[in-house]
Amino acid sequence: TLLSRMRRMGLVEEEGEGEGEDGNKNEDDDPLSSPQAGDDETVWDAVWRVPGLRKRIGGKKLKQVVEEVWRRLKDNESQSEETLDANDTELMTRGVATYQGITEVMVKRIELLVRVMRFLPSVHMLFPLSCVCRSWYVAFLRARSLVGAMDLTSAPKIEDLEFLWHIKKYGKAVRRVDISGCKYLSDIPLLDLCEKSRGLEELRVRDCRRLTDVGVSSILRKHRGTLRVLDVTRCYLDEGAFWHLFSEEGGGKVEVLQCAYCPLGDLFAGFLAQMQRRIKCLNLCGCSRISDFSLSRIIASCPLLSELHLEDTQAAEATLLAMAGEGPGGPGAASLRLETLDISCCQYVNDACLVRALRANTTLTALAISQCRLISDQALIEASQHLRSLQTLLMDTCPGITDAGLSAIAKSNPLLKKLSVQGNTAITDTSVTAVIDHCKKLQTLDLRGCYVSGGLVKEIESRMKTRKES
């Protein structure tokens, strides 16, 4: 930068120089020192101390002033390169002060641009903005350290070399990384990111099939003390990749853990139940190798859990009893208050255990029980006495559910916004009419595969259209 060049020329003293014998700095020997209180401190602070401005603001004339001073110092060999005479000091001060007004205006403009750029979700989106003009480039230099996110989901074909370039540019400032869907990336960029980033808080590598245990474990090993969100959905990772996440030094820090459709088993569940106590969102969909008992241990050990996804797992009676605080986990699960529960495609869930779980979690706003063939109207009728705040209900292909169960749950949940009963042949006009009459905020209704008359469908469409317009 220009400031470092001036220091090498001797125009500005290095830190620690200019001190007297008693260790105190002699301000008389430092004509370019920062102004005292009460002085006009617009020039030096605005030009030299604002990052990015010392190269961009001032134009060619300021550069000419610096070169003129340096030329005089080179011509006068008797004069020391570490000091300036009064004339040179006056020349430098006058040249900087010429752009005082411009500097103040530009600083305000750049600060406004920085505030706007901070709302962008990713530092990757800042790069095109830096090519607009000089002011936008300076704002980009400051904003890239404030955004702290690198979202490359819009570039699914990005390769290692381009990702390494982004890491080199913004790696130190990045706190959140999302490369979901980037199927050509390997472990090499992650290893480089592990060294460059100073404190990674969020890592999302969903559907990155080329990633292995090496890259993910290196991230978890270094950033286990700061990592809060980890999403490795549909990544072929072994249980050993999560070893550092469950270590005693870094355990208990992750709040969102999504490991859907990963080949994980009871060993992973055991470590998770012992070390992770702050998890609020857990997604284990498709992890069919984790047993029912291991799932119950996980739930019992996470008292802060509010969102749980167990689609297509071995969840059964032990798991649902743990949600009610009655499982093998003991009293640790008594304070569990779920808001979202997904147990779709869990073939061993029955009415008795589901009712006990719903009775203990009356704060549920989203419930998914699709393709649970052992659930009948009895569970919905009893659950309607406890659930009053459901907004999303998914009950696709549940042959045991009829008009009686759907009518009961609709009457007790007027805040329902999304309802899906696709493939339920026992649903007729009777229960659908009850849904429309009681759920005034309904926005989405899926009746495919149900025996509903065409006239009722048209009436539903007109009602929902009227509600949206009003």
Side-chain angles (χ1 to χ4, degrees), residues 6 11-12 32 43-44 48 62 65-67 69 84 86-98:
M6 292 175 63
L11 301 180
V12 180
L32 296 180
V43 178
W44 198 255
W48 304 120
L62 180 57
V65 172
V66 176
E67 292 178 350
V69 174
L84 296 172
N87 294 332
D88 294 330
T89 302
E90 182 182 358
L91 178 62
M92 172 62 90
T93 305
R94 186 170 63 252
V96 176
T98 304

Side-chain angles (χ1 to χ4, degrees), residues 422-466:
Q422 176 185 354
N424 293 329
T425 56
I427 300 298
T428 63
D429 293 1
T430 304
S431 58
V432 175
T433 304
V435 170
I436 295 299
D437 292 338
H438 292 89
C439 303
K440 303 296 183 180
K441 297 185 178 181
L442 192 65
Q443 299 176 357
T444 303
L445 179 59
D446 192 348
L447 298 174
R448 290 176 294 177
C450 301
Y451 289 103
V452 181
S453 61
L456 181 58
V457 172
K458 293 181 180 180
E459 182 181 355
I460 293 173
E461 292 177 351
S462 61
R463 283 194 185 186
M464 296 183 68
K465 184 177 180 181
T466 304

Side-chain angles (χ1 to χ4, degrees), residues 31-199:
L32 296 180
S33 60
S34 59
Q36 300 296 326
D39 295 340
D40 184 10
E41 47 176 308
T42 58
V43 178
W44 198 255
D45 289 344
V47 178
W48 304 120
R49 296 184 182 177
V50 178
L53 291 181
R54 50 181 176 247
K55 284 203 302 184
R56 294 286 171 178
I57 294 183
K60 296 182 179 179
K61 188 171 182 180
L62 180 57
K63 182 179 179 181
Q64 292 174 0
V65 172
V66 176
E67 292 178 350
E68 177 66 19
V69 174
W70 175 240
R71 186 183 61 79
R72 294 189 183 185
L73 291 176
K74 293 294 289 183
D75 293 342
N76 189 1
E77 298 179 356
S78 60
Q79 185 178 11
S80 173
E81 294 184 359
E82 297 181 358
T83 60
L84 296 172
D85 59 14
N87 294 332
D88 294 330
T89 302
E90 182 182 358
L91 178 62
M92 172 62 90
T93 305
R94 186 170 63 252
V96 176
T98 304
Y99 296 90
Q100 172 181 341
I102 300 178
T103 298
E104 292 178 352
V105 174
M106 293 296 291
V107 167
K108 293 180 181 179
R109 181 181 177 184
I110 289 173
E111 290 297 334
L112 178 61
L113 288 173
V114 170
R115 292 187 180 185
V116 174
M117 290 181 179
R118 288 180 65 180
F119 288 97
L120 294 177
S122 173
V123 71
H124 177 65
M125 302 177 64
L126 290 176
F127 182 73
L129 300 179
S130 65
C131 303
V132 175
C133 62
R134 179 182 301 174
S135 302
W136 286 55
Y137 177 76
V138 176
F140 158 75
L141 294 177
R142 300 193 62 188
R144 66 179 182 180
S145 62
L146 300 176
V147 175
M150 184 181 294
D151 187 353
L152 300 178
T153 55
S154 59
K157 295 184 179 180
I158 190 173
E159 297 183 354
D160 290 349
L161 187 60
E162 187 177 355
F163 189 27
L164 287 171
W165 181 86
H166 287 290
I167 294 174
K168 182 179 179 181
K169 287 288 185 181
Y170 322 119
K172 294 182 179 180
V174 168
R175 297 293 180 271
R176 301 179 299 277
V177 175
D178 190 352
I179 54 175
S180 300
C182 299
K183 55 184 178 181
Y184 297 110
L185 293 181
S186 65
D187 292 330
I188 298 177
L190 283 186
L191 295 175
D192 192 39
L193 178 65
C194 179
E195 299 298 329
K196 295 291 179 61
S197 180
R198 297 176 179 175

Side-chain angles (χ1 to χ4, degrees), residues 365-380:
T365 59
L367 176 63
I369 54 175
S370 299
Q371 299 185 24
C372 292
R373 300 183 179 276
L374 299 181
I375 296 178
S376 64
D377 289 337
Q378 180 183 357
L380 294 184

Side-chain angles (χ1 to χ4, degrees), residues 238-383:
D238 192 68
E239 296 173 335
F242 301 91
W243 173 258
H244 298 287
L245 186 64
F246 303 136
S247 64
E248 296 182 0
E249 181 181 351
K253 301 296 180 64
V254 175
E255 297 178 357
V256 178
L257 181 60
Q258 299 189 10
C259 303
Y261 303 100
C262 291
L264 305 175
D266 290 339
L267 180 62
F268 168 84
F271 283 113
L272 180 61
Q274 293 180 8
M275 302 306 302
Q276 297 295 331
R277 304 288 180 179
R278 299 183 183 179
I279 292 182
K280 298 179 182 179
C281 175
L282 180 62
N283 188 343
L284 296 176
C285 295
C287 297
S288 57
R289 293 171 54 186
I290 302 179
S291 65
D292 181 30
F293 179 76
S294 297
L295 290 174
S296 66
R297 289 184 58 194
I298 294 175
I299 295 172
S301 62
C302 299
L304 302 179
L305 199 62
S306 62
E307 185 174 345
L308 181 61
H309 300 269
L310 298 176
E311 178 184 355
D312 195 15
T313 60
Q314 297 186 30
E317 183 177 1
T319 302
L320 272 72
L321 290 182
M323 299 178 193
E326 304 174 7
S335 59
L336 191 65
R337 291 296 180 267
L338 290 175
E339 297 179 1
T340 301
L341 176 61
D342 185 359
I343 52 173
S344 302
C345 304
C346 294
Q347 303 298 329
Y348 304 104
V349 175
N350 54 35
D351 290 344
C353 58
L354 178 61
V355 169
R356 296 171 74 174
L358 298 180
R359 187 184 303 165
N361 295 273
T362 58
T363 57
L364 274 176
T365 59
L367 176 63
I369 54 175
S370 299
Q371 299 185 24
C372 292
R373 300 183 179 276
L374 299 181
I375 296 178
S376 64
D377 289 337
Q378 180 183 357
L380 294 184
I381 294 174
E382 295 186 15

